[in-house]
Amino acid sequence: MCTPNGTAAFAQLFGLLALILLLVWLLHYREGFEYDSENPLRVFNVHPFLMFFGFIFFVGQAMLVMAYRTNQSERMNQAKYQTLKILHMALHLIAIILGIVGICAVFKYHDMINLEDVYSLHSWIGLGTFCLFGLQWLFGLGFMLRGAAQSRAAMAPWHVAGGRALFFMAICAALTGLMERTTLNPVPQRRESHLINFTGLAILLFGVFVDMEVGFYRLE
Amino acid sequence: MCTPNGTAAFAQLFGLLALILLLVWLLHYREGFEYDSENPLRVFNVHPFLMFFGFIFFVGQAMLVMAYRTNQSERMNQAKYQTLKILHMALHLIAIILGIVGICAVFKYHDMINLEDVYSLHSWIGLGTFCLFGLQWLFGLGFMLRGAAQSRAAMAPWHVAGGRALFFMAICAALTGLMERTTLNPVPQRRESHLINFTGLAILLFGVFVDMEVGFYRLE
């Protein structure tokens, strides 16, 4: 998925880096993650893991798959294009399913320790983005299955602009979430805090490079 | 600056809304803002005000000014285009100057209450973005003053992509900053917390619509 511009390669690099840093954080500095644990912190940790690796990472891959098309030197044949569209849809579907599990994990954690749900800026951005994301997916599916070629062409710039906006919002949700985590008990010490900051920067740069790659995408 | 798509109008709407909510928050719920105050909280409050209204808001306006050009039905004459470019540069210069004052305010606050500088994810994203932003401005100025038409045309997509990425990062810095604020003492109560969340959403939507408007921009 490397284009002449190289932005997709940078996106992959920072995506993997963010995943590694997140795993080091959760497994080494925190107590790991497990949905069915008795330990609320282990249940909570499912949330950052799945919201990044399950949701944001897969959505990024789905966007890169479509951007790949226009970086081909020749116009792609229709069959291959259909395959890419199905892959784009399927990656988003995986992202949505894993995202739902990730959101359930944080509600379960709140239940376990009696914390109020949907209180912080992070939760408002995150849930708002996720709901709009579900709508965007349904519209995309509707157009893929039933839309006439003409109306598809008219909707395409809005589908791309909407998708980029939602991805942008998802990155904001991730960063506000990391920020919230660093201030909750147990408060991380210096080294862990730096690790969290580097994880946040890697997630941000993954977002920036995926968005940049899609920005070089030209609708035909 | 209203285009047929209406995204610029939405950007202005959410920009103004964010400004109003921010002022209500700082003046009604907090103790107002003053750079030369003896009260550290009043010094601190200069920071969110100038980083949003001084920096992000003006940068957004500068981006909308350039995007305006391509939503004209006819090709703009060269003199008018030069004026827009100078306006684009000048708005960014104002943003940078006000941003520097805003950053100084938070360092002064840290000095007053003996807090460590540049520790949180917010500060890393914010300072990183601001430094890269200064470089982007210098490159832009260099090209405007000395660049040959051909090299300008080659650089333009990178200038746009870089500017969008930095604006995206600035919005992330703002939201992580609001998030940090809600967890520091004095911790906001329910109503103030909701007000902060709405302010954050308005800033996010300002960012989304400015970015969307620029995304409809086509380099000629």
Side-chain angles (χ1 to χ4, degrees), chain A residues 38-141:
Chain A
E38 298 289 303
N39 178 349
L41 291 175
R42 280 170 68 85
V43 176
F44 173 82
N45 289 346
V46 173
H47 178 68
F49 178 69
L50 283 186
M51 297 325 282
F52 176 71
F53 181 61
F55 188 67
I56 291 178
F57 188 81
F58 274 88
V59 170
Q61 298 300 335
M63 291 168 76
L64 290 175
V65 157
M66 284 308 276
Y68 168 70
R69 176 169 80 108
T70 47
N71 291 305
Q72 300 293 297
S73 50
E74 287 171 33
R75 203 170 179 336
M76 192 171 275
N77 70 50
Q78 208 55 26
K80 195 170 171 197
Y81 180 37
Q82 284 300 328
T83 314
L84 277 192
K85 280 210 270 191
I86 290 169
L87 191 59
H88 180 74
M89 183 275 282
L91 285 168
H92 274 122
L93 184 62
I94 296 171
I96 289 173
I97 292 168
L98 294 176
I100 290 171
V101 179
I103 291 171
C104 288
V106 80
F107 281 116
K108 188 179 173 195
Y109 165 73
H110 287 174
D111 277 348
M112 287 170 95
I113 63 162
N114 267 324
L115 256 184
E116 194 175 354
D117 293 325
V118 196
Y119 186 80
S120 67
L121 176 60
H122 163 65
S123 62
W124 288 30
I125 295 175
L127 266 184
T129 304
F130 200 80
C131 295
L132 291 173
F133 200 90
L135 282 180
Q136 162 94 350
W137 188 83
L138 284 177
F139 276 114
L141 189 71

Side-chain angles (χ1 to χ4, degrees), chain B residues 78 82 85 143-144 146-157:
Chain B
Q78 208 53 28
Q82 284 300 328
K85 282 211 269 192
F143 267 91
M144 196 165 95
R146 294 183 60 92
Q150 206 177 5
S151 60
R152 271 213 302 269
M155 281 302 289

Side-chain angles (χ1 to χ4, degrees), chain A residues 116 119 121 124 168 190 197, chain B residues 116 119 121 168 190 197:
Chain A
E116 194 175 354
Y119 186 80
L121 176 60
W124 288 30
F168 178 3
R190 184 165 206 88
N197 291 0
Chain B
E116 194 175 352
Y119 187 80
L121 177 59
F168 178 3
R190 185 167 204 89
N197 291 0

Side-chain angles (χ1 to χ4, degrees), chain B residues 13 39 53 97 108 114 119 128 152 188 203 206 215:
Chain B
L13 182 74
N39 178 350
F53 180 62
I97 292 168
K108 188 178 173 196
N114 267 325
Y119 187 80
R152 271 213 302 269
I203 292 175
F206 175 65

Side-chain angles (χ1 to χ4, degrees), chain B residues 29-89:
Chain B
Y29 285 92
R30 298 279 156 170
E31 292 150 73
F33 45 87
E34 185 190 351
Y35 194 90
D36 286 323
S37 173
E38 298 290 303
N39 178 350
L41 290 175
R42 282 171 67 86
V43 176
F44 173 82
N45 289 346
V46 173
H47 179 69
F49 177 69
L50 283 187
M51 295 327 280
F52 176 71
F53 180 62
F55 188 67
I56 290 178
F57 188 81
F58 274 89
V59 170
Q61 299 301 336
M63 289 168 78
L64 290 176
V65 158
M66 284 309 276
Y68 169 70
R69 176 169 79 109
T70 48
N71 291 305
Q72 301 293 298
S73 51
E74 288 170 32
R75 202 173 182 332
M76 191 172 275
N77 70 49
Q78 208 53 28
K80 195 169 172 198
Y81 179 37
Q82 284 300 328
T83 314
L84 277 193
K85 282 211 269 192
I86 289 168
L87 191 58
H88 180 73
M89 184 274 283

